[in-house]
Amino acid sequence: MSRTLFGRPLRGVAFDVAVSALVVLSILVTTAQPATSAVPGGWAVALVGLAMAVALLFRRGHPSLVATVVAGLALIQVLAGWGPLPYDLAVLIALYSVVKYADRLRDGVLAGAVAAVGVLLAASQAGANVVWWATAIYFGLVTGGVWLAALNVRTRRLYVLSLEERAATLEREREAEARAAVVGERARIARELHDVVAHSMAVMIVQADGARLLFDRDPETARHAVKVVADTGRQALEEMRRLVDVLREPQPPEPATDPDATAPTGDPERRRATVAELPALVGRFRDAGLRVRYRAEDVPATLPPGLDLTVYRVVQEALTNALKHAGVGADVTVGLGVEDDLVVRVTDDGRGRTPVRPAPSGGHGLVGMRERVGVYDGRLVAGPRRGGGWQVEVRLPLPSTPDPEVIAA
C-alpha cells in the first residue's frame, strides 16, 4: 500500500527533500570558505541559496514556476557580481525539472535558452578572454548535458505513460466486450427459457382440455391428465424462476449472430437442441474435420427441457472451441455420465493441423457456457490438460425424476 504526503507519494517527497538538503549543504560549503571578491560571505549569499533550496521542494508540481524563481535568484547573484557558487547546482536541478516535468516542451526549450544566456553571463565574470571562453565552454557543456539528459528522461516517461494508457484502454475495452457478451448470452438464454416455458404452458392447456372432456366418460384418464398438468406446472414454475434470475438485471440485448439464437420456436434447428440430438451434432463436427468420440452412460432418458438445452449448448460451444483452437484432425472426446450430478466432459489433444478460423465470435465462449451453467446452479471447470490439449468439465445438479408423460406430451 503506497503512502502519500500532501497528496504526493512519500518516496517522491523524501527525494525532493534530499535534493533541497544537498543545496543547503552547498550553502554551508560556500559560507565556510574565506570571503573573497569571487566568493563572498555573509547572510545575503546564504539567503539567496536558501531561497533556491526551498523553491526546489515544489519542482515536480510547478516546474516552470520553480525554474523562473531559481533563474531570478541566479540573476540577482550575477548582478551582485558574486560569480558561480556551489549552490548554483540548484540552477541545473531546476533546468532538469522543467524539461522533465513541464506539461509543454516549449517551457523546457525556453528554460534552455535562458540557461544559455546565464552561462554567458556567468562566464563573463571570469575575467581574461582565454579564461572566459574556457569557462563558457565548460558551463555550456555541463548545462547542455543536463538539458539533453532531462529530454531523454522526459521522452521515456511519456512513452511509458502512453503504454500504460493504452493498456488501460485495452483493459476497459475487454471488460466492455465481456459485459456485452454476458448481456447477449443472457438474452439468448432468456429467449430459450421463454420457449421452454411456453411449451410447458401449451402442454398444460392441452392436458387440461383433455381432462375436462374426459372427466365424465373416463375419470382415470382425466385424473392422469390432471397429474400431468400439475407436474408440468411445477416444472414450468421452476423454469420461470430461472428466467427471472437471468433477467434480474435487465440490459438491452446485443444483436444475435448465431442462427440458433434467432430461429423461431417452430424451426427444426431450435427443436434439435437436445441431448438426444448430440450424436447428430457430433457428426457435423466430424464432417468438419474433428475426430470425435462420443459416449453417454447412465444419462436419464428424460431431462427438463431447459437443462436438456443447456447440455446441448455446452457441448456445441466446447466442440466449436476445439475446432477453432485445436485444429482440424484433433482427437476430441465427448462424454456424458452421472456422478451424483450430470457430468459433461469435452477434451481434446490439441494436436490438430492448422486451426480453422471461423467467423469471429468475440472470444467469449467460456463466458456463455459459464452463464448457462450458472442458471442451473452448476459448476464449470475449463483449462489445459497436463498431457496437452484442453478440457471442459461441467457438473449440473439433477432434478427429481420427471414424469415421462410430461416430456412425451
Side-chain angles (χ1 to χ4, degrees), residues 50-64:
L50 184 60
M52 289 184 178
V54 172
L56 291 180
L57 292 174
F58 307 95
R59 64 190 185 92
R60 295 177 189 262
H62 308 280
S64 299

Side-chain angles (χ1 to χ4, degrees), residues 24-39:
V24 172
L25 180 62
S26 67
I27 297 172
L28 298 177
V29 172
T30 301
T31 55
Q33 296 178 3
T36 63
S37 59
V39 183

